[in-house]
Amino acid sequence: MENTIFSILPPIIAIVMVLLTRRVLLSLGVGIISAALILTSFAPVGAMQELFTSFQVIFWDEGFNAYNVYILLFLLLLGIITAFVSLSGGSHAFADWASKRVKSRRGAKVLTVALGIVIFIDDYFNALAVGQVARPITDRYKVSRAKLAYFIDSTAAPVCVVSPVSSWGAAIIGIIATILAGQTFVEYSALEAFLWMAPMNFYVIAALAIVFFVAYRDVDFGEMKKHEINAIENGQLYDPDKSIPGEMKEEFPSHSHGRVLDLLLPILVLVAGTIAAMLWTGYQNAGQQMDVWLIFENTDVPLSLLVGGLLGTITSIVLYLLQMNKNETANAGWIGKGIWAGIKSMIGAVLILIFAWSLTYLIGALETGTYLAGIVSEGNIPVSVLPVLLFLLAGVMAFSTGTSWGSFGILLPIAGTIMIEAAPELLLASLSAVLAGAVFGDHCSPISDTTILSSTGAGSNHMDHVATQLPYALTAAAIAAIGYLVIGLTGSLIWSLLAVVVILAILFVVWSQRTTILEKTRNAQ
């Protein structure tokens, strides 16, 4: 049943279940079992073998699967860093320090979004590092964890996908190079094509504009509004009855010896160590060539994260040990407790990620992405609507498979082949539409690894993050779809950008008036 309509059933089952039940592991488990059964034509023994294989390849795939294992270890190390930053009083000290400089909820939110823009090297790294730095500040100003997760998720991948100096940019430039190879009509390099595609990524433009506006003005809808009201009026940043990845369950002793350095230094060491390791691994893998694009194309992101995580963990433990002479609550017994508390805090996120990877493997075996891609490539469709259709297809594919990289890895070559033959003038617009759709679908998918890591970095319940981000992502996608329709019909970047900007401006005016009316009503009461 590979590469057929039945191949889309497992992700649909998992996604529908997770939206209805809010029980992520149960829903992913049902999706995994259904995928194994469909893959083996409902043969029980064969299905059991596929289930075993789907989990085995996460750790051992024709050899040690360093990519996945290093990501999981990095998550555990991040939990340990969080525990020792809390033990040393660094989180509390940083919140006190920041509150004297960040004077409002608006300032806390805008700072978080700005951090998300600045840390553009890798989306995994962005999601977890920004959460560690911003969480004490947003907690102090009663910004809900769901909104923090939205800020993180809506800046991580959107910035990485248009930045040439990132793990995303390097990979995409490599794919574009293969598409353009041998095309005599092309007068630009793969890097130039990537840079030209950036202003055509209308989803990124809309998503970033909306996230900045939401940070500056209190514009909340549906579930997000409930979370924000609970945070502001009741001080409830998240639902304590739900699973919160990265949240410390251990009651650590309170003291007044914490310093801002106890939080910032481990994070700075983590950042510096990760970037240095990315440059070094990329340099080695690129044959020791001093070419920045080759370096980022060949960098080993998971190994770099592990190196940075180890250095950050060692730094956080050393800083706690240095407190023993003056901090009456600090003792060697808390070192083991802190390590164990940090590991326990990340177990939920690790399990969700493992289950999501298992489902992704089985979806790949079912060739779900190939089936969805074939819908466009086999159809007799007017070229003017291909950019918007490719955007929507990439969104559906990323939503269904939980992977933006897998989606654009399949669709970019297909889109390139179609447009080179049918409408070369729309080639870059169509490739950009694929990248935009992949990020959009990834934002909405509860089985996406970046969605999981964003909720982990924010300390938010995973399904709370999915439910609250969805309205904003869908709004940005609707605006982007109009932009791709305009560029397909007119072939003009100027007209399509103008359409996107005008719609955003109208939307912001409407939202501002709505917010003002709500504020007046609240004040009158």
Side-chain angles (χ1 to χ4, degrees):
M1 297 187 183
E2 297 92 335
N3 196 11
T4 67
I5 193 170
F6 297 103
S7 67
I8 67 174
L9 288 177
I12 290 174
I13 291 170
I15 291 166
V16 170
M17 270 199 69
V18 83
L19 293 175
L20 292 176
T21 68
R22 299 293 183 95
R23 299 177 66 179
V24 181
L25 286 175
L26 173 64
S27 304
L28 288 172
V30 172
I32 291 166
I33 292 170
S34 64
L37 289 170
I38 292 172
L39 186 61
T40 59
S41 299
F42 295 90
V45 176
M48 290 296 293
Q49 291 174 337
E50 289 294 340
L51 283 173
F52 176 79
T53 302
S54 71
F55 285 102
Q56 174 197 299
V57 296
I58 294 171
F59 305 97
W60 192 271
D61 186 11
E62 297 181 0
F64 178 62
N65 194 337
Y67 189 100
N68 291 343
V69 174
Y70 289 167
I71 292 294
L72 296 176
L73 288 175
F74 176 71
L75 277 175
L76 298 178
L77 289 173
L78 195 73
I80 295 171
I81 292 173
T82 303
F84 278 94
V85 164
S86 180
L87 262 174
S88 64
S91 297
H92 184 75
F94 183 74
D96 286 341
W97 175 85
S99 65
K100 297 173 184 176
R101 290 156 179 81
V102 180
K103 300 296 185 181
S104 64
R105 289 185 87 245
R106 176 179 293 172
K109 292 184 291 182
V110 171
L111 175 62
T112 302
V113 173
L115 286 172
I117 300 292
V118 170
I119 302 177
F120 55 79
I121 297 296
D122 181 71
D123 57 328
Y124 284 10
F125 180 54
N126 180 306
L128 297 168
V130 172
Q132 291 297 298
V133 176
R135 198 192 305 177
I137 308 172
T138 54
D139 281 0
R140 173 61 60 94
Y141 284 101
K142 297 181 179 180
V143 177
S144 68
R145 295 284 180 81
K147 179 160 276 189
L148 175 58
Y150 161 61
F151 289 157
I152 292 170
D153 206 1
S154 289
T155 53
V159 175
C160 288
V161 80
V162 294
S163 170
V165 188
S166 71
S167 56
W168 284 58
I172 293 165
I173 289 168
I175 297 173
I176 293 172
T178 62
I179 294 171
L180 300 182
Q183 300 301 325
T184 56
F185 73 90
V186 175
E187 298 178 352
Y188 42 78
S189 67
L191 174 60
E192 289 172 322
F194 181 86
L195 295 175
W196 274 107
M197 285 161 58
M200 299 179 189
N201 199 317
F202 303 132
Y203 179 76
V204 166
I205 293 169
L208 290 178
I210 289 172
V211 80
F212 264 109
F213 187 81
V214 169
Y216 191 76
R217 299 291 300 267
D218 287 321
V219 180
D220 305 310
F221 306 101
E223 290 292 314
M224 185 71 84
K225 187 174 183 180
K226 296 177 185 176
H227 282 270
E228 284 292 276
I229 290 173
N230 278 336
I232 295 169
E233 297 182 357
N234 307 319
Q236 187 174 313
L237 302 175
Y238 56 87
D239 188 342
D241 295 328
K242 293 181 179 178
S243 171
I244 310 295
E247 201 63 33
M248 295 294 111
K249 304 298 182 183
E250 192 84 35
E251 287 294 330
F252 293 140
S254 58
H255 57 86
S256 58
H257 299 284
R259 302 168 299 166
V260 172
L261 194 66
D262 293 322
L263 180 138
L264 287 185
L265 189 58
I267 300 300
L268 289 174
V269 169
L270 186 153
V271 171
T274 300
I275 294 174
M278 288 177 72
L279 293 173
W280 176 253
T281 57
Y283 173 70
Q284 293 295 322
N285 294 336
Q288 300 185 348
Q289 297 184 56
M290 291 300 295
D291 184 322
V292 67
W293 311 118
L294 276 177
I295 287 172
F296 274 93
E297 183 178 352
N298 290 280
T299 191
D300 190 333
V301 174
L303 177 59
S304 303
L305 288 173
L306 182 61
V307 170
L310 282 168
L311 293 174
T313 300
I314 292 169
T315 303
S316 66
I317 294 174
V318 169
L319 288 173
Y320 179 69
L321 290 173
L322 292 175
Q323 286 190 355
M324 286 192 177
N325 292 331
K326 59 181 179 180
N327 182 355
E328 63 283 354
T329 68
N331 59 71
W334 275 108
I335 295 176
K337 292 180 181 178
I339 292 173
W340 179 235
I343 291 173
K344 284 195 300 182
S345 72
M346 288 295 176
I347 292 297
V350 166
L351 288 175
I352 291 173
L353 201 51
I354 289 172
F355 273 52
W357 281 338
S358 172
L359 181 59
T360 299
Y361 167 82
L362 292 169
I363 288 171
L366 283 168
E367 300 181 23
T368 304
T370 306
Y371 169 74
L372 291 171
I375 294 174
V376 164
S377 60
E378 295 173 4
N380 185 17
I381 302 168
V383 293
S384 60
V385 298
L386 276 176
V388 69
L389 286 182
L390 286 166
F391 169 72
L392 296 174
L393 178 62
V396 171
M397 188 184 296
F399 181 78
S400 302
T401 61
T403 167
S404 50
W405 281 55
S407 300
F408 67 64
I410 292 172
L411 269 184
L412 280 176
I414 292 173
T417 302
I418 294 171
M419 301 314 294
I420 285 170
E421 295 295 328
E425 69 278 7
L426 292 176
L427 173 62
L428 297 186
S430 298
L431 296 181
S432 188
V434 169
L435 296 177
V439 174
F440 159 56
D442 194 69
H443 272 170
C444 299
S445 178
I447 62 174
S448 159
D449 48 5
T450 49
T451 307
I452 294 165
L453 293 177
S454 294
S455 56
T456 300
S460 168
N461 174 265
H462 178 56
M463 283 312 300
D464 284 346
H465 168 45
V466 173
T468 52
Q469 179 169 255
L470 197 58
Y472 302 102
L474 289 173
T475 302
I479 295 170
I482 294 171
Y484 288 117
L485 187 60
V486 172
I487 202 170
L489 293 171
T490 66
S492 169
L493 174 61
I494 300 298
W495 282 111
S496 52
L497 271 176
L498 184 62
V500 169
V501 171
V502 168
I503 295 170
L504 281 169
I506 293 171
L507 186 66
F508 292 163
V509 169
V510 172
W511 281 354
S512 295
Q513 291 177 342
R514 179 177 178 272
T515 304
T516 303
I517 292 170
L518 287 173
E519 288 173 351
K520 288 180 178 179
T521 304
R522 194 175 298 163
N523 292 334
Q525 293 174 343

